[in-house]
Amino acid sequence: MLFYFGYRTFTEKPDQMIEKYGIQRVHHRILFFIARVPGITVNDLLSILEVSKQALNAPLRQLYEKNLIKMVHADYDKRFKQLYLTDQGKQLESELSHVQREQMKTIFNSLGGNHQEAWIDVMNVLAKVRPGQQFFNEQNGERCD
């Protein structure tokens, strides 16, 4: 139950912020990963998010129509579309992530000690079984933090 309530608290402010754009949490997740992997292909995003093409199609189109992302044919193969945030998309994603980083920073600062490192360790254990996290690590050669 704590995980559920904690997650609700963690997502509450960003959910309120994106509401005025007429988008939802799925859109926030897409913006988040495009910001961290500029030029990510649609297929790679599907793998990371562990969703079907059908599930991703409408939110991507909506983000494109709202001028939050742009789709560019890859130079190496025109069959692939690479995704980038527009300036407006970068600004929104930055604001959303800032709220959550500050929330976590405040919590960790109030607890003191090495709670942040322990939390990251717990999240890594939970995430390591996810195909999306494994795919991200393989593609980027790094651990998610």
Side-chain angles (χ1 to χ4, degrees):
M1 285 193 296
L2 288 175
F3 190 83
Y4 171 77
F5 292 122
Y7 179 74
R8 292 289 305 248
T9 299
F10 184 70
T11 57
E12 184 174 37
K13 286 181 184 172
D15 284 353
Q16 292 168 353
M17 292 168 67
I18 61 176
E19 201 173 279
K20 65 183 171 192
Y21 289 87
I23 58 177
Q24 299 169 338
R25 194 174 302 150
V26 65
H27 300 91
H28 179 189
R29 281 192 289 267
I30 293 166
L31 293 172
F32 176 87
F33 281 106
I34 294 173
R36 269 123 204 104
V37 189
I40 189 170
T41 65
V42 173
N43 286 338
D44 287 351
L45 186 60
L46 289 168
S47 296
I48 288 173
L49 293 176
E50 301 177 46
V51 297
S52 68
K53 282 185 181 181
Q54 290 173 318
L56 190 61
N57 185 45
L60 272 181
R61 184 175 27 81
Q62 291 161 345
L63 290 170
Y64 178 80
E65 290 169 355
K66 292 179 181 295
N67 195 36
L68 295 170
I69 65 168
K70 56 185 171 183
M71 299 179 197
V72 178
H73 288 283
D75 290 337
Y76 60 87
D77 190 332
K78 298 295 182 204
R79 294 175 294 173
F80 293 97
K81 288 183 183 174
Q82 293 179 289
L83 304 171
Y84 297 90
L85 298 181
T86 62
D87 289 341
Q88 185 180 351
K90 287 177 188 175
Q91 180 65 35
L92 175 58
E93 193 286 324
S94 177
E95 290 172 12
L96 296 169
S97 290
H98 177 76
V99 166
Q100 291 180 315
R101 275 192 306 276
E102 288 300 309
Q103 186 179 37
M104 296 304 287
K105 181 179 169 184
T106 300
I107 292 166
F108 290 131
N109 286 342
S110 73
L111 295 173
N114 63 352
H115 287 85
Q116 181 174 348
E117 293 156 17
W119 183 81
I120 289 171
D121 290 342
V122 169
M123 292 297 107
N124 273 300
V125 170
L126 286 172
K128 75 179 180 182
V129 300
R130 303 299 332 149
Q133 195 263 352
Q134 293 167 3
F135 180 85
F136 180 82
N137 288 349
E138 289 169 9
Q139 298 298 307
N140 296 288
E142 58 188 69
R143 180 176 115 155
C144 296
D145 282 342

